[in-house]
């Protein structure tokens, strides 16, 4: 046992998709799977140099049941041998990463591309076209502020993520371009 979970934490790749085995589809309809958000929060907690984090919905794979959480549960939730990395992106690049991920999730054949985050909040309109799906993009560096602020288009931010999407996989193309320009900084868990 590595943790005690006070209540069920639901899983879903895309809000309302219905992949959870413990939660009704209504539980994830508005914001998606909380287990993927928790993974993004853990990325931020484990990477003191990062201001925000982004996790793809396909990178986590299960609900988190209430009660004892074991190492086996952790491996079920995160079955891949990904490494936690950081990348430097502008606010404009962060918005583009989110847009690209949504495009791949909605039109590219990979529901696992849907982006979850910590330190970022935004509205998603699936009916909009690529480039216009994200609105009200706000940032709260390390979730340390009392309020959220609009992301600065030209400001540079350190983003924690997994090495799979950092290489541009799952539609995270801008991550791959940034990665091509600068080496990935690896943070060990």
């Amino acid at each position: 046992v590595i943790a005690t979970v006070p209540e069920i934490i639901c899983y879903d790749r895309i809000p309302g998709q219905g992949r959870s085995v413990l939660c009704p589809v209504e539980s994830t309809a508005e914001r998606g799977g909380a287990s993927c958000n928790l993974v993004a929060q853990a990325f931020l907690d484990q990477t003191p140099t990062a201001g925000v984090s982004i996790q793809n919905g396909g990178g986590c794979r299960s609900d988190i049941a209430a009660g004892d959480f074991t190492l086996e549960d952790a491996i079920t939730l995160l079955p891949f041998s990904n490494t936690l990395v950081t990348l430097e992106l502008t606010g404009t690049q962060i918005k583009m990463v989110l847009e690209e991920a949504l495009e791949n999730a909605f039109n590219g054949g990979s529901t696992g591309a849907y982006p979850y985050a910590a330190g970022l909040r935004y509205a998603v309109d699936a009916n909009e076209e690529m480039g216009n799906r994200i609105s009200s993009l706000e940032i709260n560096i390390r979730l340390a502020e009392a309020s959220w602020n609009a992301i600065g288009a030209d400001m540079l931010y350190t983003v924690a993520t997994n090495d799979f999407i950092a290489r541009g996989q799952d539609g995270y193309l801008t991550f791959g371009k940034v990665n091509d320009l600068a080496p990935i900084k690896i943070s060990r868990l």
Side-chain angles (χ1 to χ4, degrees):
V1 174
I2 57 175
T4 301
V5 181
E7 61 188 46
I8 294 170
I9 301 172
C10 303
Y11 167 71
D12 219 342
R13 284 185 174 200
I14 293 179
Q17 187 180 32
R19 285 187 175 242
S20 175
V21 296
L22 299 177
C23 304
V25 70
E26 300 82 35
S27 302
T28 67
E30 187 176 339
R31 294 194 179 130
S35 64
C36 293
N37 276 330
L38 184 61
V39 169
Q41 178 65 54
F43 284 4
L44 194 57
D45 291 345
Q46 292 298 314
T47 314
T49 60
V52 300
S53 64
I54 298 174
Q55 164 68 18
N56 60 320
C60 48
R61 293 295 174 110
S62 67
D63 297 301
I64 301 171
D68 290 344
F69 185 77
T70 65
L71 182 57
E72 183 179 333
D73 295 325
I75 292 168
T76 299
L77 175 64
L78 298 170
F80 306 106
S81 58
N82 292 333
T83 304
L84 186 58
V85 301
T86 59
L87 298 171
E88 302 291 322
L89 284 90
T90 65
T92 298
Q93 289 171 318
I94 289 172
K95 182 178 187 298
M96 181 54 69
V97 162
L98 297 172
E99 290 281 354
E100 291 166 343
L102 290 171
E103 177 65 16
N104 201 38
F106 296 142
N107 297 317
S110 175
T111 59
Y114 194 90
Y116 289 89
L120 296 170
R121 80 177 173 188
Y122 45 89
V124 174
D125 186 341
N127 296 316
E128 286 290 336
E129 295 295 318
M130 164 75 174
N132 295 312
R133 290 191 178 107
I134 296 285
S135 63
S136 305
L137 179 56
E138 295 179 316
I139 194 164
N140 186 333
I141 300 294
R142 301 204 55 75
L143 298 170
E145 300 297 321
S147 62
W148 292 78
N149 299 298
I151 198 165
D154 296 324
M155 289 189 64
L156 199 59
Y157 301 100
T158 303
V159 180
T161 193
N162 66 66
D163 65 324
F164 176 73
I165 61 175
R167 291 190 306 265
Q169 300 296 315
D170 225 0
Y172 287 75
L173 305 176
T174 295
F175 272 174
K177 291 174 188 170
V178 169
N179 186 19
D180 286 344
L181 299 175
I184 294 177
K185 300 172 191 170
I186 298 176
S187 293
R188 300 280 180 213
L189 288 176

Coordinates of all heavy atoms in Angstrom, one line a residue, residues 69-137:
F69 N -4.4 2.1 -2.0 CA -3.8 2.2 -3.4 C -2.4 1.6 -3.3 O -1.5 2.0 -2.6 CB -3.7 3.7 -3.8 CG -3.3 3.9 -5.2 CD1 -4.1 3.8 -6.2 CD2 -2.0 4.4 -5.5 CE1 -3.7 4.0 -7.6 CE2 -1.6 4.6 -6.8 CZ -2.4 4.4 -7.8
T70 N -2.2 0.5 -4.1 CA -1.0 -0.2 -4.1 C -0.1 0.1 -5.3 O -0.5 0.8 -6.2 CB -1.3 -1.7 -4.2 OG1 -1.9 -2.0 -5.4 CG2 -2.3 -2.1 -3.0
L71 N 1.1 -0.4 -5.2 CA 2.0 -0.3 -6.4 C 1.4 -0.9 -7.6 O 1.5 -0.4 -8.7 CB 3.4 -1.0 -6.0 CG 4.5 -0.8 -7.1 CD1 4.7 0.6 -7.4 CD2 5.7 -1.5 -6.6
E72 N 0.7 -2.0 -7.5 CA 0.0 -2.7 -8.6 C -1.0 -1.7 -9.2 O -1.1 -1.6 -10.4 CB -0.6 -4.0 -8.2 CG -1.3 -4.7 -9.3 CD -1.9 -6.0 -8.9 OE1 -1.4 -6.6 -7.9 OE2 -2.9 -6.5 -9.5
D73 N -1.7 -1.0 -8.4 CA -2.7 0.0 -8.8 C -2.0 1.1 -9.6 O -2.5 1.5 -10.7 CB -3.5 0.6 -7.7 CG -4.4 -0.4 -6.9 OD1 -4.9 -1.3 -7.6 OD2 -4.5 -0.3 -5.7
A74 N -0.9 1.5 -9.1 CA -0.1 2.6 -9.8 C 0.3 2.1 -11.2 O 0.3 2.9 -12.2 CB 1.1 3.0 -9.0
I75 N 0.8 0.9 -11.3 CA 1.2 0.3 -12.6 C 0.0 0.1 -13.5 O 0.2 0.4 -14.7 CB 2.0 -1.0 -12.4 CG1 3.3 -0.7 -11.7 CG2 2.2 -1.7 -13.7 CD1 4.0 -1.9 -11.2
T76 N -1.1 -0.2 -13.0 CA -2.3 -0.3 -13.8 C -2.7 1.1 -14.3 O -3.1 1.2 -15.5 CB -3.5 -0.9 -13.0 OG1 -3.1 -2.2 -12.6 CG2 -4.8 -1.0 -13.8
L77 N -2.6 2.1 -13.5 CA -3.0 3.5 -13.9 C -2.0 4.0 -14.9 O -2.4 4.6 -15.9 CB -3.0 4.4 -12.6 CG -3.2 5.9 -12.9 CD1 -4.6 6.1 -13.5 CD2 -3.0 6.6 -11.6
L78 N -0.7 3.8 -14.7 CA 0.4 4.3 -15.5 C 1.2 3.1 -16.0 O 2.3 2.9 -15.5 CB 1.2 5.3 -14.8 CG 0.5 6.5 -14.3 CD1 1.4 7.3 -13.4 CD2 0.0 7.4 -15.5
P79 N 0.7 2.3 -17.0 CA 1.4 1.1 -17.4 C 2.7 1.3 -18.3 O 3.4 0.3 -18.6 CB 0.3 0.3 -18.2 CG -0.5 1.4 -18.8 CD -0.5 2.5 -17.7
F80 N 2.9 2.5 -18.7 CA 4.0 2.7 -19.6 C 5.3 3.1 -18.9 O 5.2 3.6 -17.8 CB 3.7 3.7 -20.7 CG 2.4 3.4 -21.4 CD1 1.2 4.1 -21.1 CD2 2.3 2.4 -22.3 CE1 0.0 3.8 -21.7 CE2 1.1 2.1 -22.9 CZ 0.0 2.8 -22.6
S81 N 6.4 2.9 -19.5 CA 7.7 3.2 -18.8 C 8.2 4.6 -19.3 O 9.3 4.8 -19.6 CB 8.8 2.2 -19.1 OG 9.0 2.1 -20.5
N82 N 7.2 5.6 -19.3 CA 7.5 6.9 -19.7 C 8.4 7.6 -18.6 O 8.4 7.2 -17.4 CB 6.3 7.8 -19.8 CG 5.4 7.3 -21.0 OD1 6.0 6.8 -22.0 ND2 4.1 7.5 -20.9
T83 N 9.2 8.6 -19.1 CA 10.0 9.4 -18.2 C 9.4 10.8 -18.1 O 8.8 11.3 -19.0 CB 11.4 9.5 -18.8 OG1 11.9 8.2 -19.0 CG2 12.3 10.3 -17.9
L84 N 9.5 11.4 -16.9 CA 9.0 12.7 -16.7 C 10.1 13.7 -17.2 O 11.2 13.6 -16.9 CB 8.8 12.9 -15.2 CG 8.1 14.2 -14.7 CD1 6.8 14.4 -15.4 CD2 8.0 14.2 -13.2
V85 N 9.6 14.7 -18.0 CA 10.5 15.6 -18.6 C 10.0 17.0 -18.5 O 8.8 17.2 -18.2 CB 10.8 15.3 -20.1 CG1 11.4 13.9 -20.3 CG2 9.6 15.4 -21.0
T86 N 10.8 18.0 -18.8 CA 10.3 19.4 -18.9 C 10.7 20.0 -20.2 O 11.8 19.6 -20.8 CB 10.9 20.3 -17.7 OG1 12.4 20.3 -17.8 CG2 10.5 19.8 -16.3
L87 N 9.9 20.9 -20.7 CA 10.1 21.6 -21.9 C 9.8 23.1 -21.6 O 8.9 23.4 -20.8 CB 9.2 21.1 -23.0 CG 9.4 19.7 -23.4 CD1 8.2 19.3 -24.4 CD2 10.7 19.5 -24.1
E88 N 10.5 24.0 -22.3 CA 10.3 25.4 -22.2 C 9.4 25.9 -23.4 O 9.8 25.7 -24.6 CB 11.6 26.2 -22.3 CG 12.6 25.8 -21.2 CD 12.1 26.3 -19.8 OE1 11.5 27.4 -19.7 OE2 12.3 25.5 -18.8
L89 N 8.2 26.4 -23.1 CA 7.3 26.9 -24.2 C 6.8 28.2 -23.8 O 6.6 28.6 -22.7 CB 6.1 25.9 -24.3 CG 6.4 24.6 -25.0 CD1 6.8 23.5 -24.0 CD2 5.1 24.1 -25.7
T90 N 6.4 29.0 -24.9 CA 5.7 30.2 -24.7 C 4.2 29.9 -24.5 O 3.8 28.8 -24.7 CB 5.8 31.2 -25.9 OG1 5.2 30.5 -27.0 CG2 7.3 31.5 -26.3
G91 N 3.5 30.9 -24.0 CA 2.1 30.8 -23.8 C 1.4 30.4 -25.2 O 0.5 29.6 -25.2
T92 N 1.9 31.0 -26.2 CA 1.3 30.7 -27.6 C 1.5 29.2 -27.9 O 0.7 28.6 -28.5 CB 1.9 31.6 -28.6 OG1 1.6 33.0 -28.3 CG2 1.4 31.3 -30.0
Q93 N 2.7 28.8 -27.6 CA 3.1 27.4 -27.9 C 2.2 26.4 -27.1 O 1.8 25.4 -27.5 CB 4.6 27.1 -27.7 CG 5.4 27.7 -28.8 CD 6.9 27.6 -28.5 OE1 7.3 27.8 -27.3 NE2 7.7 27.3 -29.5
I94 N 2.0 26.8 -25.8 CA 1.2 25.9 -24.9 C -0.2 25.8 -25.5 O -0.8 24.7 -25.6 CB 1.1 26.5 -23.5 CG1 2.5 26.3 -22.8 CG2 0.0 25.8 -22.7 CD1 2.7 26.9 -21.5
K95 N -0.8 26.9 -26.0 CA -2.1 26.9 -26.6 C -2.1 26.0 -27.8 O -3.0 25.2 -28.0 CB -2.7 28.3 -26.9 CG -4.1 28.3 -27.5 CD -4.6 29.7 -27.8 CE -6.1 29.7 -28.2 NZ -6.4 28.9 -29.4
M96 N -1.1 26.1 -28.6 CA -1.0 25.3 -29.8 C -0.9 23.8 -29.5 O -1.6 23.0 -30.1 CB 0.2 25.7 -30.7 CG 0.3 24.9 -32.0 SD -1.1 24.9 -33.0 CE -1.1 26.6 -33.6
V97 N -0.1 23.5 -28.5 CA 0.0 22.1 -28.0 C -1.4 21.6 -27.7 O -1.8 20.5 -28.1 CB 0.9 21.9 -26.8 CG1 0.7 20.6 -26.1 CG2 2.4 22.1 -27.3
L98 N -2.2 22.3 -26.9 CA -3.5 21.9 -26.5 C -4.4 21.8 -27.7 O -5.2 20.8 -27.8 CB -4.1 22.9 -25.5 CG -3.4 23.0 -24.2 CD1 -3.9 24.2 -23.3 CD2 -3.4 21.7 -23.4
E99 N -4.4 22.7 -28.6 CA -5.2 22.6 -29.9 C -4.8 21.4 -30.7 O -5.7 20.7 -31.2 CB -5.0 23.9 -30.7 CG -5.6 25.2 -30.1 CD -7.1 25.3 -30.3 OE1 -7.7 24.4 -31.0 OE2 -7.7 26.2 -29.7
E100 N -3.5 21.2 -30.9 CA -3.1 20.0 -31.6 C -3.6 18.7 -31.0 O -4.0 17.8 -31.7 CB -1.6 20.0 -31.7 CG -1.0 21.1 -32.6 CD 0.5 21.2 -32.4 OE1 1.1 20.8 -31.4 OE2 1.1 21.9 -33.3
A101 N -3.5 18.6 -29.7 CA -3.9 17.4 -29.0 C -5.4 17.2 -29.2 O -5.9 16.1 -29.4 CB -3.6 17.5 -27.5
L102 N -6.2 18.3 -29.1 CA -7.6 18.2 -29.3 C -8.0 17.8 -30.7 O -8.9 17.0 -31.0 CB -8.3 19.5 -28.9 CG -8.4 19.8 -27.5 CD1 -8.9 21.2 -27.3 CD2 -9.2 18.8 -26.7
E103 N -7.2 18.3 -31.7 CA -7.4 17.9 -33.1 C -7.2 16.4 -33.3 O -8.0 15.7 -33.9 CB -6.5 18.7 -34.0 CG -6.6 18.4 -35.5 CD -7.9 18.7 -36.1 OE1 -8.8 19.5 -35.6 OE2 -8.2 18.1 -37.2
N104 N -6.2 15.9 -32.7 CA -5.9 14.5 -32.8 C -6.9 13.7 -32.0 O -7.3 12.6 -32.5 CB -4.5 14.2 -32.3 CG -3.9 12.9 -32.8 OD1 -4.2 12.5 -33.9 ND2 -3.2 12.1 -32.0
A105 N -7.4 14.2 -30.9 CA -8.4 13.4 -30.1 C -9.7 13.4 -30.9 O -10.4 12.4 -30.9 CB -8.6 14.1 -28.8
F106 N -10.1 14.5 -31.5 CA -11.4 14.6 -32.1 C -11.4 14.1 -33.6 O -12.4 13.6 -34.1 CB -12.0 16.0 -32.1 CG -12.3 16.5 -30.7 CD1 -12.0 17.8 -30.4 CD2 -12.8 15.7 -29.7 CE1 -12.2 18.3 -29.1 CE2 -13.0 16.1 -28.4 CZ -12.8 17.5 -28.1
N107 N -10.3 14.3 -34.3 CA -10.3 14.0 -35.8 C -9.1 13.2 -36.2 O -9.0 12.8 -37.4 CB -10.3 15.3 -36.6 CG -11.5 16.2 -36.3 OD1 -12.6 15.6 -36.3 ND2 -11.3 17.5 -36.2
G108 N -8.2 12.9 -35.3 CA -7.0 12.1 -35.7 C -7.0 10.7 -35.4 O -6.0 10.0 -35.6
G109 N -8.1 10.2 -34.7 CA -8.2 8.8 -34.4 C -7.6 8.4 -33.1 O -7.5 7.2 -32.9
S110 N -7.2 9.3 -32.3 CA -6.6 8.9 -31.0 C -7.3 9.6 -29.9 O -6.9 10.7 -29.5 CB -5.1 9.2 -31.0 OG -4.6 8.9 -29.7
T111 N -8.3 9.0 -29.3 CA -8.9 9.6 -28.1 C -7.9 9.8 -27.0 O -8.2 10.6 -26.1 CB -10.1 8.8 -27.6 OG1 -9.7 7.5 -27.3 CG2 -11.2 8.8 -28.7
G112 N -6.9 9.1 -27.0 CA -5.9 9.2 -25.9 C -5.1 10.5 -26.0 O -4.3 10.8 -25.1
A113 N -5.2 11.3 -27.0 CA -4.5 12.6 -27.1 C -5.2 13.7 -26.3 O -4.5 14.7 -26.0 CB -4.5 13.0 -28.6
Y114 N -6.4 13.5 -25.8 CA -7.1 14.5 -25.1 C -6.2 15.0 -23.9 O -5.7 14.3 -23.1 CB -8.4 14.0 -24.6 CG -9.3 15.2 -24.1 CD1 -10.2 15.7 -25.0 CD2 -9.3 15.6 -22.8 CE1 -11.0 16.8 -24.6 CE2 -10.1 16.7 -22.4 CZ -11.0 17.3 -23.3 OH -11.7 18.3 -22.9
P115 N -6.0 16.4 -23.8 CA -5.1 16.9 -22.8 C -5.7 17.2 -21.5 O -6.8 17.7 -21.4 CB -4.6 18.2 -23.5 CG -5.8 18.7 -24.3 CD -6.5 17.4 -24.8
Y116 N -5.0 16.8 -20.5 CA -5.3 17.1 -19.1 C -4.1 17.9 -18.5 O -3.0 17.8 -19.0 CB -5.5 15.8 -18.2 CG -6.8 15.1 -18.6 CD1 -6.8 14.2 -19.6 CD2 -8.0 15.5 -18.0 CE1 -8.0 13.6 -20.0 CE2 -9.2 14.9 -18.3 CZ -9.2 13.9 -19.3 OH -10.4 13.3 -19.7
A117 N -4.3 18.7 -17.5 CA -3.3 19.6 -17.1 C -3.4 20.0 -15.6 O -4.5 19.8 -15.0 CB -3.3 20.9 -17.9
A118 N -2.3 20.5 -15.1 CA -2.3 21.1 -13.7 C -1.6 22.4 -13.9 O -0.6 22.5 -14.6 CB -1.5 20.2 -12.7
G119 N -2.2 23.5 -13.3 CA -1.6 24.8 -13.4 C -2.2 25.5 -14.6 O -1.9 26.7 -14.8
L120 N -2.9 24.8 -15.4 CA -3.6 25.4 -16.6 C -5.1 25.1 -16.5 O -5.5 24.1 -16.0 CB -3.1 24.8 -17.9 CG -1.7 25.0 -18.3 CD1 -1.3 24.2 -19.5 CD2 -1.4 26.5 -18.6
R121 N -5.9 26.1 -16.9 CA -7.3 25.8 -17.0 C -7.8 26.5 -18.2 O -7.4 27.6 -18.6 CB -8.1 26.1 -15.7 CG -8.5 27.5 -15.5 CD -9.3 27.7 -14.2 NE -9.5 29.1 -14.0 CZ -10.1 29.6 -12.9 NH1 -10.5 28.8 -11.9 NH2 -10.2 30.9 -12.8
Y122 N -8.8 25.9 -18.9 CA -9.3 26.3 -20.2 C -10.6 25.7 -20.5 O -11.0 24.7 -19.9 CB -8.3 26.0 -21.3 CG -7.8 24.6 -21.2 CD1 -8.4 23.5 -21.8 CD2 -6.6 24.3 -20.5 CE1 -7.9 22.2 -21.8 CE2 -6.1 23.0 -20.4 CZ -6.8 22.0 -21.1 OH -6.3 20.7 -21.0
A123 N -11.4 26.3 -21.4 CA -12.6 25.8 -21.9 C -12.4 25.1 -23.2 O -11.6 25.6 -24.0 CB -13.7 26.9 -22.0
V124 N -13.1 24.0 -23.5 CA -12.9 23.3 -24.7 C -14.3 23.3 -25.4 O -15.3 22.9 -24.8 CB -12.5 21.8 -24.5 CG1 -12.5 21.1 -25.8 CG2 -11.1 21.8 -23.9
D125 N -14.3 23.7 -26.7 CA -15.5 23.6 -27.5 C -15.2 22.7 -28.7 O -14.6 23.1 -29.6 CB -15.9 25.0 -28.0 CG -17.3 25.0 -28.7 OD1 -17.7 23.9 -29.2 OD2 -17.9 26.0 -28.9
A126 N -15.7 21.4 -28.5 CA -15.4 20.4 -29.6 C -16.0 20.7 -30.9 O -15.6 20.2 -31.9 CB -15.9 19.1 -29.1
N127 N -17.0 21.6 -30.9 CA -17.6 22.0 -32.2 C -16.9 23.0 -33.0 O -17.2 23.3 -34.2 CB -19.1 22.5 -31.9 CG -19.9 21.4 -31.3 OD1 -19.9 20.3 -31.7 ND2 -20.7 21.8 -30.2
E128 N -15.9 23.6 -32.4 CA -15.1 24.6 -33.1 C -14.0 23.9 -34.0 O -13.7 22.7 -33.8 CB -14.4 25.6 -32.1 CG -15.3 26.6 -31.5 CD -15.8 27.6 -32.4 OE1 -15.1 27.9 -33.5 OE2 -16.9 28.2 -32.2
E129 N -13.4 24.7 -34.8 CA -12.3 24.2 -35.7 C -11.0 24.3 -35.0 O -10.8 25.0 -34.0 CB -12.2 25.0 -37.0 CG -13.5 24.9 -37.9 CD -13.7 23.5 -38.5 OE1 -12.7 22.9 -38.9 OE2 -14.8 23.1 -38.5
M130 N -10.0 23.5 -35.5 CA -8.7 23.5 -35.0 C -8.2 25.0 -34.9 O -8.4 25.8 -35.8 CB -7.8 22.8 -35.9 CG -6.3 23.0 -35.8 SD -5.6 22.2 -34.4 CE -3.9 22.5 -34.6
G131 N -7.6 25.3 -33.7 CA -7.1 26.7 -33.5 C -8.1 27.5 -32.7 O -7.8 28.6 -32.1
N132 N -9.4 27.1 -32.6 CA -10.4 27.8 -31.9 C -11.1 27.0 -30.8 O -12.1 27.5 -30.3 CB -11.5 28.4 -32.9 CG -10.9 29.4 -33.9 OD1 -10.2 30.3 -33.5 ND2 -11.1 29.2 -35.2
R133 N -10.7 25.9 -30.5 CA -11.3 25.0 -29.6 C -11.0 25.4 -28.1 O -11.9 25.2 -27.2 CB -10.9 23.5 -29.8 CG -11.5 22.9 -31.0 CD -11.3 21.4 -31.1 NE -11.9 20.9 -32.3 CZ -11.2 20.5 -33.3 NH1 -9.9 20.5 -33.3 NH2 -11.8 20.0 -34.4
I134 N -9.9 26.0 -27.9 CA -9.5 26.4 -26.5 C -9.8 27.8 -26.4 O -9.5 28.7 -27.2 CB -7.9 26.2 -26.3 CG1 -7.5 24.7 -26.4 CG2 -7.5 26.8 -25.0 CD1 -7.9 23.9 -25.2
S135 N -10.5 28.1 -25.3 CA -10.8 29.5 -24.9 C -10.5 29.7 -23.4 O -10.4 28.7 -22.7 CB -12.2 29.9 -25.3 OG -13.1 29.2 -24.6
S136 N -10.5 30.9 -23.0 CA -10.3 31.3 -21.6 C -9.1 30.5 -21.0 O -9.1 30.0 -19.8 CB -11.5 30.9 -20.8 OG -12.7 31.6 -21.3
L137 N -8.0 30.5 -21.7 CA -6.8 29.8 -21.2 C -6.1 30.6 -20.1 O -5.7 31.8 -20.3 CB -5.8 29.6 -22.4 CG -4.4 28.9 -22.0 CD1 -4.7 27.6 -21.4 CD2 -3.6 28.8 -23.3

